[in-house]
Amino acid sequence: LQADDVESKIREIIPPGFCTNTDDFVSLLEKEVNFKPFGMLLHTYSVHNEEAGEDITYQIYKADMTCPGFREYHERLQTFLMWFIETASFIDVDDERWNYFLVFEKYNKDGATLFATVGYMTVYNYYVYPDKTRPRVSQMLILPPFQGEGHGAQLLETVHRYYMSSPTVLDITAEDPSENYMKLRDFVLVKLCQDLLCFSPGKLMQGFSQEMVMEAQQKLKINKQHTRRVYEILRLRATDMGDAEQSRSYRLDVKRRLIGPYKKKQRELAKMRRCLRPEELTNQLNQIDINMQHEQLEESFQQLVSDYRRVLERLAQA
């Protein structure tokens, strides 16, 4: 058997000048003592490290391609996407609408202050008529050694707070979000929204309202769809699920939203009754099992409640 030419495959992804032996790599590492983060410092936070027995400091920066040296740094940084995100692709860095947010660990070694790359996020600023923008999260990666420490939540919350201060931003979205990203977003948005007056327990029990949509959009740049999920999570926290009446009210409220796709099928069926021949209609009816729809609706509800409880558990620990 002939071995694969691994280096040629790597060359398609990694920019020219990469090391092919350990000695060269180690010698380059010695120069990293002079590395400093790019751009503007947005947020500093600390995380307690059990193994080290101390708090470790992290910083989040916003950068763009006008920062000296950042283009070359980003060329190397983005290659990590190919190893850890299945559908990843490189972006057009010459487009000025891209913003870059980076997380670094700040630490001391032999009297020098050093920075280690933790992760980053790219955000594209779409134009919204007539004078607004809609930032859309495109890529987000926390490198494996730092995963599970809360850096993703810190990064996403910092990015939200950065755009919240801009009067030209309409709302913040994400491009083709993964399931893990949506869970992370749920936690961050609930954390941001829980102190708004419109999400007080009394108002939550009255149901989802336009007031919630307006306040979340104006103050926190959250769109209606995401505001609805925040409402359902916070209402679950305010609901005594051991109380039959409260539990039933919550279940019906959530299911009214979940049933949307099923009602669409019913509308399509009504059109079929008017347009299809009897044998064609019978074939379509066989594909729409009402009992199965009810089972799927209940399954979706239970899964949603399970996801919501995990968000609330994490919120309680934050």
Side-chain angles (χ1 to χ4, degrees):
L1 294 176
Q2 185 175 358
D4 293 336
D5 185 359
V6 176
E7 192 172 314
S8 68
K9 294 296 183 183
I10 292 176
R11 200 176 290 115
E12 296 174 5
I13 300 173
I14 298 180
F18 61 85
C19 298
T20 56
N21 67 72
T22 306
D23 291 338
D24 290 345
F25 181 67
V26 171
S27 67
L28 284 175
L29 281 181
E30 294 172 357
K31 299 178 182 178
E32 292 301 305
V33 69
N34 299 317
F35 174 80
K36 294 292 183 290
F38 302 93
M40 174 178 61
L41 176 62
L42 296 180
H43 179 50
T44 299
Y45 63 98
S46 61
V47 175
H48 185 73
N49 186 291
E50 293 290 345
E51 187 176 332
E54 61 181 359
D55 290 345
I56 297 178
T57 300
Y58 298 89
Q59 294 183 330
I60 299 176
Y61 287 77
K62 175 188 174 292
D64 56 46
M65 287 301 158
T66 64
C67 300
F70 181 66
R71 180 182 291 267
E72 293 75 19
Y73 170 82
H74 178 264
E75 263 194 340
R76 300 193 299 274
L77 179 62
Q78 68 178 348
T79 62
F80 282 105
L81 295 171
M82 298 303 177
W83 312 125
F84 301 115
I85 300 178
E86 187 175 351
T87 58
S89 60
F90 293 156
I91 62 175
D92 178 11
V93 296
D94 292 321
D95 190 332
E96 296 179 353
R97 286 183 171 270
W98 285 106
N99 283 338
Y100 307 83
F101 299 87
L102 305 109
V103 188
F104 296 97
E105 176 189 346
K106 182 181 180 181
Y107 64 101
N108 295 314
K109 183 178 180 182
D110 300 329
T113 300
L114 304 180
F115 294 88
T117 301
V118 173
Y120 82 116
M121 176 191 289
T122 57
V123 180
Y124 191 79
N125 296 289
Y126 281 91
Y127 168 71
V128 179
Y129 180 85
D131 59 353
K132 302 286 186 182
T133 58
R134 173 173 283 127
R136 179 184 292 178
V137 176
S138 175
Q139 303 159 320
M140 181 178 182
L141 175 66
I142 302 297
L143 296 174
F146 302 97
Q147 290 176 6
E149 298 178 353
H151 301 295
Q154 289 281 355
L155 177 57
L156 185 57
E157 182 176 346
T158 299
V159 170
H160 261 271
R161 291 191 182 281
Y162 171 78
Y163 286 116
M164 277 160 43
S165 62
S166 173
T168 62
V169 170
L170 182 65
D171 54 35
I172 305 165
T173 61
E175 178 184 341
D176 193 22
S178 67
E179 185 177 339
N180 285 336
Y181 177 85
M182 288 189 287
K183 291 177 181 178
L184 175 67
R185 181 174 61 194
D186 282 343
F187 167 73
V188 170
L189 297 189
V190 169
K191 184 182 176 184
L192 291 171
C193 287
Q194 62 180 344
D195 295 326
L196 294 180
L197 289 176
C198 63
F199 288 105
S200 62
K203 293 192 175 182
L204 286 167
M205 302 308 285
Q206 295 173 17
F208 188 57
S209 68
Q210 187 62 25
E211 179 189 3
M212 295 174 183
V213 175
M214 294 295 293
E215 192 168 0
Q217 193 276 323
Q218 291 174 359
K219 293 183 177 179
L220 304 176
K221 312 299 183 182
I222 301 173
N223 65 28
K224 182 178 181 179
Q225 179 185 355
H226 299 161
T227 302
R228 172 71 197 202
R229 284 182 68 89
V230 168
Y231 154 76
E232 290 177 1
I233 294 170
L234 288 176
R235 178 163 176 181
L236 176 62
R237 186 172 70 176
T239 299
D240 179 4
M241 295 300 281
D243 181 290
E245 183 56 37
Q246 288 190 36
S247 175
R248 178 177 179 276
S249 176
Y250 179 76
R251 186 174 67 254
L252 291 177
D253 189 34
V254 174
K255 284 188 174 182
R256 272 193 291 269
R257 177 181 65 81
L258 294 177
I259 206 170
Y262 300 101
K263 287 188 174 180
K264 182 180 178 182
K265 285 185 179 179
Q266 292 173 355
R267 290 193 296 270
E268 291 173 351
L269 178 59
K271 293 178 182 177
M272 292 177 191
R273 293 183 188 280
R274 295 193 298 269
C275 304
L276 296 181
R277 296 192 300 272
E279 60 272 19
E280 293 175 327
L281 180 60
T282 301
N283 182 49
Q284 291 295 326
L285 286 173
N286 290 336
Q287 298 178 31
I288 303 177
D289 187 329
I290 300 300
N291 290 329
M292 183 177 294
Q293 287 184 1
H294 288 161
E295 290 176 8
Q296 291 173 346
L297 186 61
E298 179 62 23
E299 185 178 331
S300 297
F301 172 75
Q302 294 298 339
Q303 180 59 54
L304 208 61
V305 169
S306 177
D307 291 342
Y308 288 174
R309 288 192 190 281
R310 279 194 287 271
V311 173
L312 293 174
E313 287 170 6
R314 183 175 180 182
L315 198 64
Q317 297 169 1

